[in-house]
Structures are given as structure tokens and as C-alpha cells.
Amino acid sequence: MTTLAQVCWSLPQLPGALTALASRMDWPAASSSITTPPANHAQTADFGAWLDWAARRLGIDADETETAIAELEPVLRQAGPALVRYLDGGESRFVVLLAGGRPGKLNALGPDLRKHRLDVSQLRDALCTEQERALTPEVDALLHHAGIAAARVARTRKALLNERLAARTVAGIWLFRLPPETDFMRQMRDHGLFRRTLATLAVFAALYLLEIAGWWLIGRGALQGRLDPGWLSAWGLVLAALIVLRLLGGWLGGTLAIRGVMLLKRRLLAGALQMPSETIRSQGVGQLLGRMMESAALEFLAVNGAITVPIACLELLLAAVVLHSGAGGWLHVALLAVCCVVAIRLGRRLLRCLRNWTGTRLELAHDLIEQMVGHRTRLAQHAPESRHDREDQLLARYLPVSREFDAAVAAINGLLPRGWLLLGIAGFVPAIIGGGADALQLAIGLGGVLLGYRAIAEISANLPGFAQAVVAWRQIAPIFNAAGPTEVPSTFHTPARHQDSAKPSAVILEARELMFHYRPQGAAVLNGCGLKLAHGDRVLLKGSSGSGKSTLAALLCGLRQPDSGLLLLHGLDKAAWGVQAWRRTVAAAPQFHENYIFSAPFAFNLLMGRRWPPTWEDLQEAEQVCLGLGLGDLLERMPAGLMQMVGETGWRLSHGERSRVFLARTLLQEAHVIILDESFGALDPETLGQCLTYVMQRAPALVVIAHP
Ligand SMILES: Nc1ncnc2c1ncn2[C@@H]1O[C@H](COP(=O)(O)OP(=O)(O)OP(=O)(O)O)[C@@H](O)[C@H]1O
């Protein structure tokens, strides 16, 4: 039996373990090199940050999961590929899990680079050892007190420990998953979508063939007067098989849709988060919201019709084969082809109408949101009689377009299936008049017409949804394509902490000859701009409105990239740091109108730049910072204190309170450089004095943008 010691890896061996796993799994950047994790691995956050970096170097995501001990075994069985950390005599040990496994067994990659089967209970016990050890004296005391017989002590102790531990959680399991920005085909392949599509189509093809066989059995038996028990039982068997196949096809199609939608949603979310801020700004909330609503059309199609339309096309092909062998022969096939041509033309018309309708609808949605956001301004400044002029104009444009779209849908739903029935019946006329067809051929022809009717009815019902998805795709493709691989620095940097930068006079941030344009042809907003910031520096940046102060702040904190010039943080550029580490080290509070209080607990609004959920120490520090910024009174007044819901739907903070939350949020980021962009404007002189003193005490290096 494989023991845990045979498959475990030590901390220095981890880079080797991960690269071996990467090449085994064919991860997108499997050949990238990774450095050894920080020696001080007891700090979980540091190790997590290293693993996150190492996984991203190899082209994968590492998601840490925390699981209840009661659920641990099933979670471990489903986890691979994954990394599990446990403690052995105070030392961290790691197990690399591969996908798959048998009941009760895990597939683990050992240091000999071979696959081993490991009992899941061994790993579970190793993960729970520490917690079990802490509980054992208490449980033993209970057993002693209850006078449990010596022979039963071990079993009872185990049962009691299991019960006590069930609700506790275990951390240290990292699941490796392809990131949503990976090539979509690769993701579909890895999630088995191609295999499932083929299996679904194969099941439906078998289903239709069986259906035809069923007709053939019953039709031939009836026409030849041979409906004996043997024929009937064969027909019954075919019907039973049809039910099973239909259930199987439905299940396959359903799971295919759910997996497809999940992948699509992850990708869209990743794309939305990676969209350049300039694109987001230039499109406005309304348009973007409209686009995201469009994605619902794609989802609806995936769940309801993505597989139905191809299956209906398959059915149509079968109908053509059956019709060809029936009384109508080639005439029926030709009539079916005519029906398909009409369907294509109607489909194209529908697509055109839908594009117009969607464009107008999105414009309407965008306008509505603009009106809602600016409602108070409109109430105060817009003459009441002309307040709804624009809405009226948009509605006047929307109504005819909407009517045209409805007519196109009605034409497809009403005309196509019924039209085919008429054509199908007309296709029998020459055979009946000529008298060349026997009853069997007529029956086959009729079966073909009905099969074609079912397929055409299915296509017509799903065509509007299909067209909607095509149009929606044009809307959301930019979001889908915005998700791309992010640059991962070649070396790992331990997350920033105040004390790391605390060497007096050490230069933290240096900018030389920075140049920046918002538009390639426009004038430079910054030209030849330089700055040197050392630990303990306090810099006031002032200048006329529009002179580029906020732009410089955006360059320094890594929100924007300079067109030319040199920007170094602790002597390294942004490529070496990676965007995330850079932005953790240089924190900026945007101007008031660009900052936001989220509808969430007050503590979330304070600590969102550090981590969430918070540790106990985070909450204590957040409270201290609030006291330092004069928010202690507010904390006392809010019934739930730090956990009070604030924002649009919660406790409404005053202008000055908001500005101090923005200050606290930035200070709590543990950055080396703090940049405050006009953060004190809303404060009365006394509070301003208190906040400025506190910020000066706390910030390792400070840049204040202000109009003093
Ligand atoms: N996204 C943008 N696209 C084009 N031009 C922009 C953009 N953002 C800012 N600008 C322009 O760049 C110039 C510098 O803007 P910036 O916000 O940096 O000035 P500022 O010194 O911070 O001004 P203020 O003191 O008024 O806040 C301004 O002329 C502004 O209109």
C-alpha cells in the first residue's frame, strides 16, 4: 500500500513538482521556469501568493479552497489536479493530486514522477491531525469521566472526534484550473464539451433510426395484416429503447448546455474585468449593462436550443432520406429543399430586423440608465416640459422597429411548419393521380412528411432565439475577446509590507522623463516628468486644473502605462514586478467623484484593498485607522459597528465620512507609497488637521495632490 511519505514533496521540491504536473497536464505555459517558494513558508499568505504566481507562470489558476472536515473526503476525490499541504512534525509537506481515482483512492504524483494510488483516508487524517490533537485531551477526559470500557475507548474516541471535527474547516487545498482567458477551444476540450456534443448527436441519430424502425415494424405489420405478438413485442421493445434514448439525449444535452454556459460566463466575467479602463469609460454604464444583458440571450439559447437546432437539422436530413423512399420520391425531396430555402430567407430577414431592434433597444437602455443616474440633476436643472423629449424620440424610433421584428417572428412561426404540411400533401398528388404508388410507399411518404414537419416546427420555434444569440454575440464579442493572458513576472516578489520599505532614505519610487498622451495625435499631457520618492518623504503635488496631476498619479500607481520614460519601484520596472504586485505596493485614492462606497459591510469598504474576508488583526487595524481619522464616533453610532451595511442600500455616509473611508481604505492597503488625489477637500479645518497628521504618521512615503 502506498504511504503518504512515499508521495509527499518538501517545500524546496515544489517547483519540480509543479513543473512535472504542468508537463503531464499539458498546461498552456508548462515549460516556464519557476523559482523556489519563500523559506518562511509558515506565513500562509506568502505561500498562497507564491503558489498563485507559480501557477500563473505555468498558465493555470490556483484556487485555494477551505472545506468542512465532514466534506473533506469527497472534496479530495474531486480535487485533482490539486496541491494539498499538511503539517508533519511542524514541517509543511505537500501532495500533488492528479485527476481521477478509484472509490476510496486518490491519484497522487510522487517525487519519482510516477502515479501512485493513495488511500483518501490517509490524506484526510494528515490534514486533521493538528485539530484532532488539540481536541484529544478534552475527549479523553470525557471518556474517562463516562467510564468507557478500555476495549471500546479507541473506537469511541474516534467517533467523538469525528463528530466534534465535522463542522470545522481545513484549508491548504489548492485546485488547479485553466484560467478563463485560456484559448476557448482548449477549455471546451478539457471540459469534454466536444465529446458530449458528438455523444448527444449520436444518441439522437440512433433515436431517429429507431423511430423509423418502429414505424416500419408497426406499418409493415398492419399493412400485411401480420400484427402477431412477436411483431408487437418487437415494437414494444423499440418504444422502450426510444424512451431510454430520449432520456439519455436530454440529460447529455442539458449537461452540455450547463457546462457551456458556465465556461462562457467565466470568460465574460474575466473579459469584463480585463477590459481597458478607457474602453469602459468611453462606453458608459448603460451600454455596458445592455451588453451584459445581451449575454442572457446567449445563455438562453445554450440552455434551450443550442443543441436542438443541430438535432432538428439532423432530423431534416433523415426526413429527406425517408421522403425519397416514399411515394413522392424526388418531388418530395425538392419540396423540402424549397421549404429550407424559404426558411433561410426568412431567417436572414429575421436577423436583419433583430439587429435593428437590438440596436434601438440598447440605445433605449443606455439612455434610461443615464436618465436614472442623472435624475437629481435633471429634476433641478431640466425644464419639466422638455424632460421626456428624448425618451419620446427614442420610443418613436423603437416602436416600428419592434413591430417589424414581431412580424418576422410571426412569419417564421406561422408560415414555415404549416407551409411544409401543405407542400408535403401536394407532393403526393402526382403519385396518387398516376396511381403508381402502393400503400406502403404512401405510408413511408407520410412518415417522411411528419418527420419533416416536426423538424421544421422545432427549427422555427428556436430560430428567433438562435438569431438573438447571433446578434448578442456581436455585442458581447468585445468583452469575450478582452480576456487575454496577463503578463506574469519571471521572479516572485513577496507581497509588500510597511516594514519591508522601512530603510530610511531608501528610494522607493523613481520616475524619469515620463511622457504620456491620452490620444496618439493629441498633445502630451505629461512630458519629461520626473520624481524620486524615498522612505519618509512627504510630497505635495500642486498645479493648475488639467495640468496632469491625476494622470501622473495613475502612471505611478500602475493604472496607466507611460508612453516613454522610466518608472522604477525599488529599482525594478513594472514588467519585473507584475501589475498586481506593483499596485499592491503603490496605493492611490482616486478623486472623490471616481471613488465609491459599495453596498457592503463598512469593514469591507475599509479592507477591500487588503483582503476579504478579513483576519481578526485586519479588523482591529481597520478600527484603529478609523479612530485615527476621527471616525470613532460614526463607528459607535452605527448599530452593527464595523459590520454595518453601508452604501446605496445601507447607512448613508456623509460627504466628509466618505472621504475619510477612502483615506482609510488606502492606508489599510499596506503599501509602500500612498498617493492621495484631492482627498481632503470635503473636510472641515479641524478634521482636516487631524486626518493629515494621522496620514503623515502612517504613510511610509506620501504624495498629496491638492490645491492648497
Ligand atoms: N481619459 C481621457 N481622455 C482624454 N483626455 C483626458 C482623459 N483624462 C484626462 N484627460 C485630460 O488630460 C488633462 C490632464 O487631466 P488630469 O485629470 O490629469 O488633470 P489634473 O491636473 O488632475 O486636474 P484637476 O486638478 O482639475 O483634477 C486634462 O486636460 C484632461 O481633460
Side-chain angles (χ1 to χ4, degrees), residues 362-571:
L362 284 182
E363 209 180 330
L364 210 62
H366 174 67
D367 202 66
L368 185 69
I369 288 167
E370 279 277 308
Q371 306 295 340
M372 279 159 56
V373 173
H375 180 63
R376 290 197 195 140
T377 314
R378 276 185 354 129
L379 276 187
Q381 318 229 286
H382 220 150
E385 61 279 9
S386 58
R387 210 174 273 156
H388 299 291
D389 285 357
R390 181 156 165 77
E391 284 149 47
D392 291 345
Q393 280 169 9
L394 282 175
L395 273 177
R397 268 184 25 218
Y398 173 76
L399 286 176
V401 173
S402 167
R403 238 178 268 128
E404 210 187 340
F405 170 59
D406 290 343
V409 174
I412 286 187
N413 285 337
L415 203 68
L416 270 183
R418 290 175 188 81
W420 162 244
L421 270 190
L422 284 177
L423 283 179
I425 292 166
F428 287 116
V429 174
I432 293 171
I433 293 175
D438 60 15
L440 182 63
Q441 277 183 317
L442 282 173
I444 293 174
L446 192 62
V449 170
L450 291 178
L451 197 61
Y453 175 75
R454 201 170 69 184
I456 289 173
E458 198 77 61
I459 291 175
S460 334
N462 283 294
L463 212 55
F466 202 75
Q468 216 157 343
V470 172
V471 175
W473 175 248
R474 286 167 66 102
Q475 293 294 327
I476 63 168
I479 303 179
F480 183 91
N481 293 327
T486 43
E487 226 175 272
V488 187
S490 53
T491 45
F492 173 68
H493 296 280
T494 314
R497 286 196 186 78
H498 288 267
Q499 57 269 30
D500 299 343
S501 72
K503 291 178 211 133
S505 77
V507 173
I508 304 178
L509 191 63
E510 188 176 358
R512 269 187 247 151
E513 296 293 323
L514 292 186
M515 153 105 74
F516 181 80
H517 297 79
Y518 277 105
R519 295 180 209 291
Q521 286 83 25
V525 176
L526 297 175
N527 195 355
C529 183
L531 174 103
K532 215 177 225 183
L533 205 65
H535 182 86
D537 279 354
R538 273 86 185 88
V539 174
L540 172 67
L541 193 61
K542 56 180 190 167
S544 55
S545 176
S547 54
K549 302 180 295 295
S550 304
T551 308
L552 177 62
L555 296 188
L556 296 181
C557 72
L559 264 179
R560 292 185 189 279
Q561 186 68 20
D563 298 331
S564 63
L566 193 67
L567 194 52
L568 301 174
L569 180 59
H570 290 294

